[in-house]
Amino acid sequence: MIKIKLLENHIHRNETTFRPFLFAQDLFREVGIEFTDSDDYDFAWVGQASIIDKKKPLQESIDRGLEFISEITGDYMIIDGQDSTSLIGSIDVFRESNALLFLKNSYLKDFDLYKKGWANGRIYWGKGEYSVPDIDELKLKMRLTGCNWLNTIQPRWFDYNSDKKYDISCMFGYPTKEPVYEHDVCQTDYYDPHRKNLFETLGDKYKVAGLIDGQRIPQEEYHRKMYESKIIMAPLGYGEMAPRDIEATMFGSILMKPDVSYINSKPFVYEDGETYIACKYDWSDLEEKIDYVLSNYDELQPYIIENMKSSFIEKNDKKNLVVHIHEIFQSLSCVGAA
């Protein structure tokens, strides 16, 4: 039995990173892998929240992350549950560490893009200072986790019909109440304009369900308005994927979001025109896409909803995650044929 200790699993972002593995822990035991919180372990898994402090300057965050892993005894891996372009901080610790592997939820398909400078590393926010020039050397030990944000929820499939009150759901936070900084770089200046441009593009042409001045509402009301919407908009935020993406299918609504075909992740359920409707990040083709969906809703709704549902169920089978991780361990020389 291979015993894996999940370090600081109680920390919020670590908990969501490790959650899919714990969902499947019974199946993992069947192939000889057990997750534990005891000090009797073979490998330690280090979640990104243990080695990144986004409230600190980047170098200070890196130093604290290196200090944390210096206290680990035995073999360990870094498990980064963030989205494809969020390498900042975690990859910097990995570079100077003795970690066996770096497992991440998703990557850019084109690793050369990491060599270019992006705003805090996020490609969709445009040019900036952060890059990973030595990605070719680092990627030799970089693997996919085999899961992502969609695996953190266990969906309930509701009955649905095409009789919906709203054309579009924009049930997301905007505007940001207080500026958000990561490693001393203001994120709000990138986050908010994407949403502002969306609302300006929508104008008053459509019936939109949204939040008043970004204020939170009870979850029941939040979900009800999503259920009553034909289209659920999912702008990109601090990453490309979110539970909202599968919640759209739960509620019988068509998911529309900026194209994510540049991402490599498992499971990957995004197929334009089949499981969701892709649009451009600057929303320049948004009205065209919305009008197409609304004009053909009776046909598109069951087609896209059922495609996304079946794709999610098939690809999100816990056995796939277990096989993926088991193969990773089998490839390690320190494990061998055990």
Side-chain angles (χ1 to χ4, degrees):
M1 183 72 71
I2 297 173
K3 295 183 179 180
I4 302 173
K5 182 172 184 177
L6 305 178
L7 299 184
E8 297 191 325
N9 185 45
H10 62 284
I11 298 179
H12 171 51
R13 291 301 178 182
N14 284 349
E15 188 278 325
T16 50
T17 294
F18 295 142
R19 189 187 300 169
F21 301 100
L22 294 178
F23 279 164
Q25 60 185 320
D26 290 342
L27 291 176
F28 273 107
R29 289 193 190 98
E30 293 180 9
V31 298
I33 297 175
E34 180 180 22
F35 298 104
T36 181
D37 58 2
S38 78
D39 290 330
D40 177 20
Y41 64 88
D42 301 296
F43 301 91
W45 275 11
V46 185
Q48 77 272 7
S50 295
I51 58 171
I52 302 174
D53 187 345
K54 295 182 179 181
K55 296 180 180 180
K56 304 292 184 183
L58 180 56
Q59 189 56 55
E60 184 177 342
S61 173
I62 295 170
D63 292 341
R64 293 182 62 164
L66 290 171
E67 180 181 356
F68 180 86
I69 63 173
S70 71
E71 298 176 359
I72 300 174
T73 58
D75 293 324
Y76 63 93
M77 303 174 188
I78 291 175
I79 316 297
D80 187 336
Q82 301 175 100
D83 291 89
S84 66
T85 55
S86 300
L87 277 173
I88 188 169
S90 60
I91 198 68
D92 301 286
V93 172
F94 174 66
R95 178 187 290 116
E96 300 182 46
S97 75
N98 293 316
L100 293 175
L101 293 173
F102 182 92
L103 275 60
K104 185 171 176 61
N105 277 7
S106 58
Y107 295 106
L108 297 174
K109 288 180 178 177
D110 183 359
F111 266 59
D112 284 342
L113 291 173
Y114 289 117
K115 300 175 186 177
K116 298 184 178 182
W118 307 107
N120 257 27
R122 295 187 175 101
I123 184 174
Y124 47 86
W125 281 355
K127 293 182 178 180
E129 299 299 321
Y130 185 79
S131 65
V132 187
D134 57 343
I135 192 69
D136 288 336
E137 292 76 33
L138 297 175
K139 71 180 181 182
L140 299 176
K141 292 185 177 181
M142 297 171 72
R143 306 284 189 277
L144 287 170
T145 59
C147 55
N148 52 51
W149 268 103
L150 301 190
N151 302 94
T152 63
I153 61 174
Q154 296 180 307
R156 174 186 173 189
W157 309 111
F158 295 94
D159 293 332
Y160 63 88
N161 56 50
S162 60
D163 183 19
K164 291 178 176 287
K165 181 178 180 180
Y166 301 100
D167 294 324
I168 303 165
S169 167
C170 290
M171 302 294 289
F172 45 78
Y174 171 81
T176 304
K177 298 305 179 184
E178 299 290 339
V180 176
Y181 286 84
E182 292 182 356
H183 307 307
D184 289 344
V185 177
C186 184
Q187 310 299 291
T188 312
D189 295 340
Y190 302 100
Y191 183 93
D192 274 8
H194 181 49
R195 285 155 177 71
K196 180 181 179 182
N197 191 9
L198 168 59
F199 282 112
E200 290 177 346
T201 302
L202 291 175
D204 57 4
K205 182 178 179 180
Y206 308 101
K207 191 166 186 179
V208 177
L211 301 175
I212 299 176
D213 198 28
Q215 295 290 340
R216 290 179 177 271
I217 60 176
Q219 188 177 60
E220 182 178 351
E221 181 182 355
Y222 173 81
H223 285 159
R224 178 177 56 78
K225 286 191 174 181
M226 291 176 70
Y227 181 87
E228 293 176 341
S229 300
K230 294 181 178 180
I231 298 169
I232 288 183
M233 296 299 308
L236 304 191
Y238 298 107
E240 304 95 350
M241 303 182 194
R244 183 188 300 114
D245 295 357
I246 201 63
E247 288 173 347
T249 302
M250 288 169 50
F251 299 138
S253 305
I254 292 176
L255 174 67
M256 186 175 294
K257 67 184 296 168
D259 177 42
V260 290
S261 61
Y262 60 90
I263 296 172
N264 180 24
S265 185
K266 289 184 179 182
F268 193 78
V269 297
Y270 303 92
E271 186 176 354
D272 184 24
E274 299 293 322
T275 60
Y276 84 118
I277 300 296
C279 57
K280 295 180 180 178
Y281 182 78
D282 65 2
W283 310 115
S284 59
D285 61 348
L286 184 62
E287 288 185 77
E288 172 191 343
K289 296 297 181 77
I290 292 175
D291 291 344
Y292 163 70
V293 170
L294 295 180
S295 298
N296 300 278
Y297 197 75
D298 288 344
E299 297 79 25
L300 285 175
Q301 183 200 30
Y303 182 77
I304 290 181
I305 298 307
E306 294 305 322
N307 280 348
M308 176 65 101
K309 179 179 177 180
S310 60
S311 179
F312 179 86
I313 291 173
E314 176 188 354
K315 296 179 180 179
N316 191 46
D317 189 322
K318 295 181 180 67
K319 293 179 181 178
N320 297 332
L321 176 59
V322 173
V323 169
H324 177 79
I325 294 298
H326 185 258
E327 289 178 347
I328 287 177
F329 275 104
Q330 290 298 98
S331 69
L332 295 176
S333 58
C334 57
V335 173

